[in-house]
Amino acid sequence: MSAGPARHEARELHWHAGRLRVLGGITLALPPGRFTGLVGPNGSGKSTLLRLLAGLRAPSAGHALLDGEDVAATGRRAVARRLAFVAQDVATDVDMTVREVVTLGRAPHRGRTAAPAPRDREAVELAMARTGVSWLADRSWPTLSGGERQRVNVARALAQEPAGLLLDEPTNHLDVRHRLDLLGMLSASGVTVVAALHELELAARYCDHLVLLDGGRVVASGSPAQVLTSRTLREVYQVRATVREGPDGRPDLRLDPLDPPGGGAAREGGQTSASETT
Amino acid sequence: MTRPVLAARAPLVLTAGGAALTLSLLVAAGTGSADIPPLGVARTVGAHLGGPWETLPPLRDSIVWDLRLPRVLLAALTGAGLAVCGAVLQATTRNPLADPYLLGVSSGASTGAVCVLVLGIGSGVGSLALPVGAFAGALTAFACVLLLLGRTLGSATRVVLAGVMVSQLFGALTSLVVVLAGDADRTRAVTFWLLGSLASADWTLVGVCAVGTAAGLALLQLHAGQLDALAFGRETAAAVGFEVRRSEPVLYVVTAVVTGCLVAAGGAIGFVGLLVPHAARALVGGRHTVLLPAAALLGATFLVWADTAARTVLAPQEMPVGVLTALIGVPAFAVLLRRRTGAP
């Protein structure tokens, strides 16, 4: 496969779970080497789209392309050398150390029974350092907290040395500092990053490109300022969004319920509506 | 005990385990109504394998070579095979309660065995009718599980549920045959078989089981890296480059065939396949490259001693070895579990 950041494309992607339509015809091309955020309400199809892009599920119709090739038809090992995937929750009590778990990420690069080479060990140590879990290296997986497990999983993905990194709600379970650290690291990574995110404020600050999904379709895509407008957010999330331009030129969000219990917030929303970006 | 210590001592544990198993085989083959020292056993084995040693007197030689050695070796093979299959199924289903009988194999084998013991099907074939019938039953049950699951296997929960359903079905069939057609003697024979006994071991059975188990365990060992990843879920395993959809059915088929082979020879011996993998994990950690051989050595040594106790403790009467595996194993495991939770 080609070098450079991973190129993801979707062509008329459909995915059904039984009779339920989860994705209904998604066509997009994600900017290579940039950080794309997939946003949208619960059940809008973010996780499914990620899995189709990663080739972990076969589409009901349409194609997910990685570097121009159908990812579902490509061997897993070849895909894993280009692409790493971090699931939302990994529930297991397997008795392995953090270093052993991160070493799983070297699997696509080594022989089936070969011991890890110095090259593999380097990649593992570097990946642990980048996610701040080096000090946990010898700890056993079942003793980790939810947030620590999440960071170890990201380290495992980085140890794959991927050209593309797909993450399903990577900030879930993380405290504020680690959230910012992780998103900062992802946006500076230089590889293609696609992450499903719930916090719109963080998506606005860290992502280069956003795809807003609703009901299995793309509602808007483009720069955070293009996607996160108060009109779209009211339509998709049923919230009152106040959007200002932040000091870094990115949108700064304030979100309130559409029908607040008191009148105060509504008045405040009314006052600032003049500064809404559309 | 910190985890790197566990990893560092893995080679030591495996070497010690190999030595302990060899010694156990020699001592166990010499233990019984006629006691023969381990060196005498080693000499006899050497002589039979074409070495320049003098054999024991004919009667004692026959006791060791024709009676005890096949039985001791079958015990070792059964212990090793069941322990490894248990460890593999615990990883693929991510279920610590999984054991080799999860996929309906033992229930199917039981149905096959009662068909031979009670209904007399295939009695013309001679002593091999029972193991062949049991093996056929085991494969039939496993085929039912696969049919229920369909081509995609589905989630780990579905695999477990399909196994439980088929086990129930074949358990009912076994009871039905026993109730409808069994007299007191045959019912007793069935009960004994169901609890597991290695008394019928001979060189033919050992040979067949050795080939089946060795090939199966070698195949499973090749999947050790993938089992590590599978413990984190199918998605993670696929994401780090394993063709899970292709290899998971292979893992299930291999464990079912190995288990079916061993159950056909020795009955459904419990406990080994469930708890020995956990004991091995406590000793060497969860990485399957080391865990699988450790479980094999531990299971083999354990069952060799359990079976030796089964045939000597109440001699001349025999106890079903399945009873003893639990009687010895549960306290041993309790100690291990306590020590483990005691240490950070």
Side-chain angles (χ1 to χ4, degrees):
Chain A
M1 272 191 206
S2 59
R7 286 181 294 121
H8 291 288
E9 271 176 81
R11 286 191 193 155
E12 274 302 307
L13 266 186
H14 289 260
W15 200 75
H16 304 261
R19 278 185 165 179
L20 183 75
R21 193 195 71 190
V22 179
L23 290 184
I26 288 190
T27 299
L28 46 74
L30 302 179
R34 313 304 295 274
F35 185 175
T36 297
L38 297 183
V39 292
N42 293 328
S44 56
K46 304 186 292 290
S47 300
T48 305
L49 178 56
L50 271 180
R51 280 168 177 77
L52 291 175
L53 291 176
L56 293 172
R57 281 183 196 163
S60 310
H63 300 278
L65 306 184
L66 168 62
D67 303 325
E69 285 173 47
D70 193 331
V71 69
T74 311
R76 286 310 316 167
R77 195 175 157 92
V79 173
R81 287 172 169 215
R82 290 285 291 163
L83 213 58
F85 176 81
V86 179
Q88 194 178 140
D89 256 319
V90 178
T92 180
D93 272 333
V94 69
D95 197 358
M96 284 165 64
T97 64
V98 166
R99 186 179 278 113
E100 287 167 352
V101 174
V102 177
T103 306
L104 285 178
R106 298 306 296 167
H109 298 284
R110 35 192 274 238
R112 205 172 220 198
T113 49
R119 175 82 199 74
D120 296 314
R121 283 196 213 102
E122 258 169 53
V124 168
E125 300 301 323
L126 183 67
M128 290 194 295
R130 284 177 72 189
T131 52
V133 295
S134 300
W135 65 287
L136 294 169
D138 293 327
R139 279 266 295 277
S140 144
W141 172 268
T143 68
L144 303 181
S145 75
E148 288 165 343
R149 288 180 184 202
Q150 192 95 2
R151 281 150 60 207
V152 171
N153 268 325
V154 176
R156 191 262 304 147
L158 291 176
Q160 277 176 253
E161 299 182 319
L165 197 49
L166 306 176
L167 309 96
D168 195 2
E169 304 200 16
T171 54
N172 216 354
H173 300 298
L174 295 187
D175 61 41
V176 179
R177 193 200 111 196
H178 287 117
R179 240 168 238 219
L180 301 182
D181 284 354
L182 177 67
L183 292 173
M185 188 270 290
L186 291 176
S187 69
S189 67
V191 304
T192 308
V193 178
V194 187
L197 293 170
H198 263 306
E199 300 100 329
L200 298 175
E201 302 90 331
L202 292 177
R205 273 183 56 193
Y206 286 98
C207 294
D208 306 305
H209 184 82
L210 289 183
V211 176
L212 175 62
L213 297 175
D214 191 21
R217 290 178 179 280
V218 177
V219 178
S221 73
S223 72
Q226 287 170 322
V227 172
L228 300 174
T229 64
S230 60
R231 204 173 123 201
T232 352
L233 292 180
R234 185 165 57 229
E235 277 166 15
V236 173
Y237 284 94
Q238 281 88 50
V239 294
R240 180 183 305 276
T242 314
V243 188
R244 289 194 187 84
E245 194 181 290
D248 51 358
R250 287 166 174 270
D252 208 353
L253 299 189
R254 171 177 171 141
L255 303 171
D256 292 294
L258 211 50
D259 299 306
R267 233 183 358 261
E268 191 187 332
Q271 277 170 1
T272 51
S273 64
S275 64
E276 280 176 7
T277 51
T278 45
Chain B
M1 183 91 50
T2 58
R3 293 302 321 287
V5 176
L6 280 187
R9 77 179 186 188
L12 190 72
V13 170
L14 293 186
T15 315
L21 176 60
T22 313
L23 200 65
S24 300
L25 289 172
L26 292 179
V27 174
T31 308
S33 50
D35 262 321
I36 295 153
L39 268 180
V41 175
R43 243 175 48 204
T44 297
V45 174
H48 276 277
L49 295 180
W53 299 280
E54 217 179 304
T55 56
L56 295 166
L59 180 65
R60 308 193 109 211
D61 177 73
S62 165
I63 289 178
V64 169
W65 184 256
D66 296 327
L67 293 178
R68 289 199 194 140
L69 263 179
R71 181 160 180 173
V72 167
L73 288 175
L74 185 62
L77 286 170
T78 306
L82 292 181
V84 171
C85 289
V88 168
L89 290 177
Q90 284 166 10
T92 53
T93 61
R94 289 166 289 289
N95 184 343
L97 295 179
D99 78 354
Y101 306 145
L102 180 79
L103 300 172
V105 171
S106 65
S107 318
S110 305
T111 309
V114 294
C115 285
V116 173
L117 287 171
V118 177
L119 300 180
I121 294 170
S123 50
V125 196
S127 68
L128 276 180
L130 185 56
V132 169
F135 188 63
L139 290 193
T140 309
F142 179 63
C144 290
V145 172
L146 287 185
L147 271 180
L148 275 177
L149 287 172
R151 226 160 41 90
T152 54
L153 289 189
S155 67
T157 312
R158 266 193 66 185
V159 174
V160 174
L161 279 178
V164 169
M165 273 164 63
V166 170
S167 294
Q168 295 285 339
L169 174 68
F170 279 81
L173 287 178
T174 304
S175 306
L176 190 70
V177 172
V178 172
V179 168
L180 286 184
D183 54 34
D185 277 349
R186 282 171 172 176
T187 308
R188 204 178 132 75
V190 167
T191 311
F192 207 83
W193 191 90
L194 290 181
L195 287 168
S197 166
L198 300 165
S200 57
D202 59 28
W203 281 111
T204 317
L205 270 187
V206 169
V208 173
C209 288
V211 171
T213 309
L217 297 201
L219 252 170
L220 294 174
Q221 187 70 37
L222 279 178
H223 287 82
Q226 177 160 358
L227 288 168
D228 290 347
L230 268 176
F232 287 84
R234 277 191 190 143
E235 221 163 48
T236 302
V240 296
F242 293 110
E243 300 285 352
V244 179
R245 251 169 264 164
R246 210 177 305 151
S247 54
E248 216 176 17
V250 173
L251 289 171
Y252 284 127
V253 169
V254 171
T255 52
V257 171
V258 170
T259 308
C261 189
L262 296 171
V263 170
I269 298 170
F271 184 86
V272 181
L274 175 64
L275 289 183
V276 168
H278 290 290
R281 261 181 219 110
L283 288 172
V284 297
R287 275 186 57 232
H288 289 82
T289 322
V290 184
L291 174 63
L292 296 185
L297 289 172
L298 196 62
T301 310
F302 175 73
L303 201 58
V304 164
W305 284 113
D307 186 54
T308 305
R311 66 184 165 84
T312 52
V313 170
L314 293 182
Q317 227 196 342
E318 275 232 11
M319 264 206 268
V321 65
V323 172
L324 265 171
T325 50
L327 283 182
I328 304 173
V330 168
F333 189 70
V335 170
L336 201 74
L337 206 64
R338 259 183 92 88
R339 262 189 40 201
R340 187 133 180 269
T341 43

